[in-house]
Each structure stands twice: as structure tokens, then as C-alpha cells.
């Protein structure tokens, strides 16, 4: 059976006045039906642009320069706008980061939901309304009839994000791309939404790409992790394995900077330095200037090497000591 | 909502009263109309009689008092020149100006908004840049000069359209209008374009700036991510958001079009209020000037009031927060 999604060597560049920012620089990823992929990395590493590239929603001055996005075997890049429009919201839905900005402030919730139903299916207004109501209930919104007749500003952030999720679920898509959907919300709501989305996807067999800069958020959610740095995937593998033994020094740094229950009060280690500007990247390994393990050998860009157990890592000096025995513990 | 409207209405009333004082004081300072109306050889007694007849011998505050009392009864004075109520004379001319302004408004919105949206969607394209360059011309060339150029090209050189006047009129909703007859329409086109050009340029720039801003909003991207057609994204999601500032400007500009169609009316000999004002200023026909200014203020205030009402309907945030307040 073909994979649900297979991204092959995707390049998305922004042609700015100051130069070309290679926001996505040779990303390859794949996703099975119903699988949850966590896409992790610091802000500016190209996660959102990867998500937008899949749906063909990259804004000028950005453009997908090369690569393939095979969705259910069909290349979306070659398919162009016409094909993409039939898939967007129907088979691939997206949820955005800031729920205060994603709903149109001057349109009622019912308008924004009904138009989504009717963009893809020729059904009556009543039928579309019925489905909208159902979707709102499924994301835990009570008294949906009243809610449908209100405007976004009458909702809290958490509620708005629920509405956005309900909109994403309207057509029971095969894939949802969730771009930091809980980052702007407070912690309790975050946890609620996280578990709700997980349950909804599990029930409907929807695959999920969960984009976040916060490893703690996805570690309990995703089946698979991909870590991005400066437009590339630098490490990838099953979530459990990556968390147990990160191989890339960057991933290790990310994990060590996550606060854990046990070590309450312990000092968190941090990755030194700052995310580099895409316009002034070092030669060789892009993480080199910040890496504790860097040597002269790192001046040549390492490839994304395939390791045991379906792991991939882009590093000259990966943490492979005792691997894979560590995992057996 | 009611509270909001009542409060806005109070503000409007205050503006009218303030303008009444200003207009009356301002106009009073203009030279003595008796000098213009009475022949230079007139005797001192004749002048005194004329002054008394026109009520100009009374102290300023009394004249103002009489003016206000009369104004409330719809009497804005009697024209020195025509010997008839000033308001009647102006109202006779109002339909011509009103028609001209409406057609110009229709043109500037109907053309300006779509062009602005187009230029805003594709700011880097050749069409987008051309539209912007055109709007700069419409913006910066003097109105009377544009008018004369229009006459030169379309009336004199090409001979397609008449250079001035109102042409044949017919009755429509109790007003004499030009746009229903072919002859009237041909007279209407050039002055309407002339009056519209500036507003159109203004609308193009405003719409373009707003479109660019709205296009960057997440909700537009989200709308596209839902799989909506480009048409629906533009016509509903983008347009509805840019309509709020556009309606404001349209309202403000309709008022100023009515009030300041003066240049266009003069260039095209269009028999409207603006032309009447110019004539009245030359003749120092004080009541007509005062009546014109008062009527104009009233119209502008009324339009602004209506814009606020429409505005509150367009933007649910205003409507609902004001409802609570
Ligand atoms: N509109 C834009 N114009 C120019 N560069 C952009 C634009 N959007 C994104 N980029 C570039 O792409 C990089 C990755 O952005 P993004 O995918 O949003 O990061 P994140 O991982 O935080 O989601 C940014 O660091 C920036 O250099
Ligand atoms: Mg992002």
C-alpha cells in the first residue's frame, strides 16, 4: 500500500531583498495512515513553511523550488493549484497557531463552517449546518446552536481553537497538519486540546503532523519524531527511541532543556547560542557553531545517515555510545 | 445600540450649531452687500432704507438671533439678488449636484474598489504597478486641469461628448435628472468622471493598502486552507474586511463631493449648487451663501451619522460592544 504522505527532497525558498532564505532545504518525510508525526525544532527552523508547502500555501516571496509531495501517491507539487484546492480542507486540513487570528472576525461561525462544507460537497445549507453542529459537539462545545450564531470575538482563545479544529474535522480528512495549535493557549487548555485531538484522530484514523517547538508537548503524543534545524531534518525516528537516546547533539540539547517532574528544581541545560539567520548559515553542519562536539570534520555537511531501528541522523559525531543497548532497558 | 445612536445624534446636533455660529460670523465679515445691490448714485436715504429692509441695521447678535429662529422654521433668509427664499433657490439646484455626485461616487467606487483590490492582491505585477501610477496622476493633477483636459480631448478633439450644460432632463422620483436620457447622459459623463477621478484614486490607494494588509492575515490563509475558491476568499473574506474603512471614506467623500463639486460645476457649466455658490459669492448674496453652507453642513453631518450606523452593522465588534455599553 502506498504511504499516505511522502515528501521527497523538498526545497522551499524565500526570495527576499537580502538574499535567498532556504526555509526548507531538502526535507524528506513520510507518514503512514493514522500515524502521528511530531515535527520539532526551534522557532524559525522551517516547520511552518514545511506545513504550508504541503498544502501549496507558501506566500510570496516564498516558493516551492523543487521536490515532491506525494499524497496517496499523487504529487501535489506537480498537481498545482487546481488539484490542491480539491484536497485542502477535504482530505488535508490545517490548524494554525494563533486561534485569535485564524477565524475571520467579520463572519459568523456558521458562515465559516457552512462554506467549508459546501466548498467540497454539493449539500443543502441545512445539511451543512447539521454537520457543523455535529463537529462542534465532537470538539466539546456545548449549546452549538447558539455558538454557531456568534462571531469569533465572543469566544475565548481555547474555544476559538476548538472551532478551528471542528472546521478541520468537517470532512473527516486523512491528514491534519497542526501548526503549534496549543502554543498560544494556557497550560490547562493546552492539555485538554492535546488529548481531544489525539482521541479524535485515533477514532477517525486521521494522520496528524503536529508541529511544535516544545518537545514535551509531542513526546506523549507522536508515534514518530522529526527534528528540524535550519531547514533540514537533522534527526528522525520513533518517538520513544529518540527521547530515550537522542543521537544528534541538538536533539539531546532540546531534550535536556525540557523540565521534568523528577528533577524538580534542577538546573536545565540549554543549547548555547542562537538560531542562526538563514541568510548567514555556516558551511558544513549548520549546527556546528553551537555544538559541543564539533570538530574540523564537521566543516563538511553530513548526510542524513540511516541508523538501526529506522532512525536517521545528520551528524558526524552522533551519540551512538551503547546504542542500541540503551533502548533495551 | 440605541444609546449609541442617541449619543451620536447629540454629537451631530452640536456640530451643526457650532457651524451655524461660525458660518454666520464668517459671512458677516464679507463686505457690505448694499454697496453691490444699489446703484452708486443712490442717495444716503436710499441706502439706509435698503439696509433697514435687509435687516442689516440691527446689531450683530440680533441678526444672528433672527437667523437662528428663522432657520428653525426652515427660513434661511431671502436672497438679496433673486428676492426669493435662499433655501428654495439652493434646493432647486440640489438635484443637479446630487445627481452628479451620486454618479461620480458610483464610478469611483465601482472602478476604484476593484482596481484597488486587484493591485493589492498582486502588488508586484505590471497591472498592479500601472494602477498605482495612474492613481498618483489622478491624485496630484489639479481637478480643474483634469476637467479641461477631458473637455479638450473628448469634446473638442474627438467631438464625442458635449463640453458643458446639463442636457435634456426627465423627472425621476420628483427630481429632474439627466441620466435617463441619452442626451442628458452624454452631458453627465465628463463632469462625473472629472468629479470621480480624485475620489477614485483615493479609493484605489485605500483599498490597495487594506487589501495588502488583510491578505497577510492568518484568517485569509485559513480560508484558503479550508479549500475555498479564490473567488470566495476575495469576495467574502477579504472584501468584507476592507469594506469597513472603505464605507467610512465613501461616506465622508460623498459629503465632500456634494459640497465641493464647485470646481467641476464651474468647468463644465453644470447648473448645480456649487456654481450657484460661486455666483452668490461674486454678488455678495449673503443669505444664499449662508444657506448653502448650512445646508452643506447638515448634509455632511447626516451622512456621517449614517456612515456610523452602517459601520456598526458591518463590524460586529463595534455593534456588540456598544450594545453592552
Ligand atoms: N514571508 C516570509 N518572508 C521571508 N522569509 C520567510 C517568510 N516566512 C518564513 N520565512 C523564512 O523561513 C524561515 C522558517 O520560517 P517558519 O517555517 O515559519 O519557522 P518555524 O519553524 O518557526 O515555523 C524563517 O526563519 C524565515 O527565514
Ligand atoms: Mg511556525
Amino acid at each position: 500500500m502506498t504511504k499516505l504522505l511522502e515528501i521527497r527532497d523538498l526545497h522551499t525558498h524565500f526570495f527576499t531583498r537580502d538574499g535567498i532564505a532556504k526555509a526548507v532545504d531538502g526535507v524528506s518525510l513520510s507518514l503512514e495512515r493514522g500515524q502521528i508525526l511530531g515535527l520539532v525544532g526551534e522557532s524559525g527552523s522551517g516547520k511552518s513553511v514545511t506545513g504550508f508547502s504541503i498544502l501549496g500555501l507558501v506566500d510570496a516571496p516564498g516558493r516551492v523550488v523543487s521536490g515532491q509531495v506525494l499524497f496517496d501517491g499523487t504529487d501535489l507539487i506537480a498537481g498545482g493549484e487546481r488539484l490542491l484546492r480539491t484536497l485542502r480542507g477535504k482530505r488535508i486540513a490545517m490548524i494554525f497557531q494563533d486561534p485569535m487570528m485564524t477565524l475571520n472576525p467579520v463572519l459568523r461561525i456558521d458562515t465559516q463552517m457552512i462554506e467549508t462544507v459546501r466548498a467540497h460537497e454539493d449539500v443543502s445549507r441545512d445539511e451543512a449546518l447539521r454537520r457543523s453542529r455535529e463537529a462542534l459537539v465532537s470538539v466539546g462545545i456545548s449549546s452549538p446552536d447558539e455558538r454557531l450564531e456568534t462571531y469569533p470575538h465572543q469566544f475565548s482563545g481555547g474555544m476559538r481553537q476548538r472551532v478551528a479544529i471542528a472546521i478541520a474535522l468537517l470532512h473527516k480528512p486523512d491528514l491534519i497538519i497542526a501548526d503549534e495549535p496549543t502554543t498560544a493557549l494556557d497550560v490547562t487548555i493546552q492539555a485538554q486540546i492535546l488529548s481531544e485531538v489525539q482521541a479524535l484522530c485515533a477514532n477517525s484514523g486521521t494522520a496528524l503532523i503536529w508541529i511544535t517547538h516544545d518537545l514535551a508537548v509531542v513526546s506523549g503524543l507522536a508515534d514518530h519524531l522529526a527534528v528540524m534545524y535550519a531547514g533540514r531534518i537533522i534527526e528522525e525516528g520513533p518517538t520513544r527511541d529518540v527521547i530515550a537516546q537522542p543521537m544528534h547533539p541538538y536533539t539531546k540539547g532540546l531534550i535536556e532543556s525540557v523540565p521534568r517532574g523528577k528533577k524538580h528544581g534542577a538546573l536545565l541545560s540549554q543549547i548555547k547560542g542562537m538560531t542562526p539567520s538563514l541568510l548567514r548559515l555556516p558551511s558544513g553542519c549548520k549546527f556546528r557553531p553551537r555544538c559541543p562536539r564539533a570538530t574540523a570534520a564537521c566543516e563538511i555537511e553530513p548526510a542524513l545517515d540511516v541508523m538501526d531501528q529506522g532512525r536517521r541522523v545528520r551528524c558526524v559525531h552522533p551519540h551512538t555510545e551503547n546504542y542500541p543497548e540503551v533502548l533495551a532497558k | 445600540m440605541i444609546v449609541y445612536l442617541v449619543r451620536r445624534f447629540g454629537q451631530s446636533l452640536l456640530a451643526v450649531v457650532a457651524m451655524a455660529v461660525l458660518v454666520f460670523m464668517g459671512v458677516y465679515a464679507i463686505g457690505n452687500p448694499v454697496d453691490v445691490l444699489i446703484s452708486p448714485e443712490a442717495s444716503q436715504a436710499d441706502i439706509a432704507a435698503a439696509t433697514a429692509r435687509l435687516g442689516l441695521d440691527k446689531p450683530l447678535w440680533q441678526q444672528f438671533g433672527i437667523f437662528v429662529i428663522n432657520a428653525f422654521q426652515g427660513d434661511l433668509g431671502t436672497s438679496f439678488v433673486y428676492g426669493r427664499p435662499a433655501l428654495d433657490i439652493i434646493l432647486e439646484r440640489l438635484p443637479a449636484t446630487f445627481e452628479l455626485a451620486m454618479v461620480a461616487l458610483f464610478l469611483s467606487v465601482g472602478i476604484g474598489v476593484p482596481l484597488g483590490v486587484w493591485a493589492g492582491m498582486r502588488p508586484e505585477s505590471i497591472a498592479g504597478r500601472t494602477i498605482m501610477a495612474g492613481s498618483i496622476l489622478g491624485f496630484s493633477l489639479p481637478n480643474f486641469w483634469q476637467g479641461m483636459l477631458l473637455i479638450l480631448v473628448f469634446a473638442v478633439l474627438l467631438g464625442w461628448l458635449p463640453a458643458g450644460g446639463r442636457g435634456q432632463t426627465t423627472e425621476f422620483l420628483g427630481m429632474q435628472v439627466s441620466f435617463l436620457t441619452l442626451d442628458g447622459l452624454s452631458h453627465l459623463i465628463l463632469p462625473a468622471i472629472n468629479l470621480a477621478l480624485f475620489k477614485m484614486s483615493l479609493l484605489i490607494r485605500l483599498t490597495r493598502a487594506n487589501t495588502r494588509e488583510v491578505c497577510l492575515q492568518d484568517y485569509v490563509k485559513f480560508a484558503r486552507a479550508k479549500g475555498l475558491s479564490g473567488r470566495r476568499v476575495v469576495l467574502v473574506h477579504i472584501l468584507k474586511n476592507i469594506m469597513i474603512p472603505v464605507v467610512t471614506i465613501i461616506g465622508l467623500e460623498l459629503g465632500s463631493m456634494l459640497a465641493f463639486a464647485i470646481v467641476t460645476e464651474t468647468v463644465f457649466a453644470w447648473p448645480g449648487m456649487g456654481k450657484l455658490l460661486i455666483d452668490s459669492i461674486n454678488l455678495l448674496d449673503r443669505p444664499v451663501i449662508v444657506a448653502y453652507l448650512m445646508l452643506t453642513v447638515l448634509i455632511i453631518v447626516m451622512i456621517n451619522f449614517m456612515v456610523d450606523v452602517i459601520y456598526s452593522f458591518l463590524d460586529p465588534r463595534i455593534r456588540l460592544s456598544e450594545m453592552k455599553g
Side-chain angles (χ1 to χ4, degrees), chain A residues 52 56-57 59 85 88-89 94 96 101-107 111-112 115-116 119-120 151 153-154 167, chain B residues 217-219 221-222 224-230 232 236-238 240-241 244 314-317 319-320:
Chain A
F52 291 138
L57 289 177
D59 285 324
R85 205 171 73 63
R88 285 185 201 134
M94 190 152 181
F96 290 18
M101 308 298 298
T102 36
L103 299 173
N104 194 322
V106 301
L107 299 176
T111 314
Q112 303 193 43
E115 67 179 3
T116 314
H120 299 288
Y151 289 90
H153 71 274
Q154 293 166 276
I167 290 177
Chain B
Q217 300 293 318
D218 271 0
Y219 56 75
K221 207 168 209 180
F222 189 62
R224 290 173 63 209
K226 295 196 297 189
L228 304 184
S229 65
R232 183 159 176 103
V236 177
H237 285 258
I238 296 179
K240 191 128 192 229
N241 275 285
I244 294 168
L314 276 176
D315 191 341
R317 286 163 296 193
R319 181 174 1 135
L320 296 161

Side-chain angles (χ1 to χ4, degrees), chain B residues 130-167:
Chain B
T130 312
I131 291 169
M132 279 313 277
S135 82
I136 292 173
L137 282 186
F139 220 59
S140 44
L141 296 179
N143 207 235
F144 76 90
W145 192 79
Q146 290 176 9
M148 285 174 1
L149 210 67
L150 285 174
I151 292 180
L152 182 70
V153 174
F154 292 99
V156 179
L157 292 181
L158 297 173
W160 290 349
L161 296 164
R166 209 181 163 190

Side-chain angles (χ1 to χ4, degrees), chain A residues 14 16 21 23 42-50 59-61 179-180 278:
Chain A
F14 284 86
T16 69
E42 285 170 307
S43 135
S45 53
K47 307 178 301 288
S48 298
V49 175
T50 305
D59 285 324
D179 187 0
E180 313 217 21
L278 289 181

Side-chain angles (χ1 to χ4, degrees), chain B residues 36-55:
Chain B
V36 186
L37 293 172
I38 288 194
S39 67
E41 298 96 46
S43 70
Q44 207 60 32
D46 286 340
I47 293 177
T51 308
R53 183 162 42 84
L54 296 173

Side-chain angles (χ1 to χ4, degrees), chain A residues 62-74:
Chain A
R63 185 155 60 77
V64 175
V65 177
S66 65
Q68 285 182 310
V69 174
L70 300 174
F71 179 74
D72 217 356
T74 318

Side-chain angles (χ1 to χ4, degrees), chain B residues 182-215:
Chain B
L182 203 60
D183 181 53
L185 198 60
S186 70
H187 281 81
L188 186 56
I189 291 174
L190 285 185
I193 290 177
N194 181 228
L195 189 56
L197 272 175
F198 183 82
K199 311 295 171 195
M200 198 190 293
S201 308
L202 190 73
L203 275 173
I204 287 177
R205 303 181 76 84
L206 180 85
T207 315
R208 185 185 106 111
N210 276 295
T211 305
R212 288 194 69 174
E213 199 184 307
V214 168
C215 274

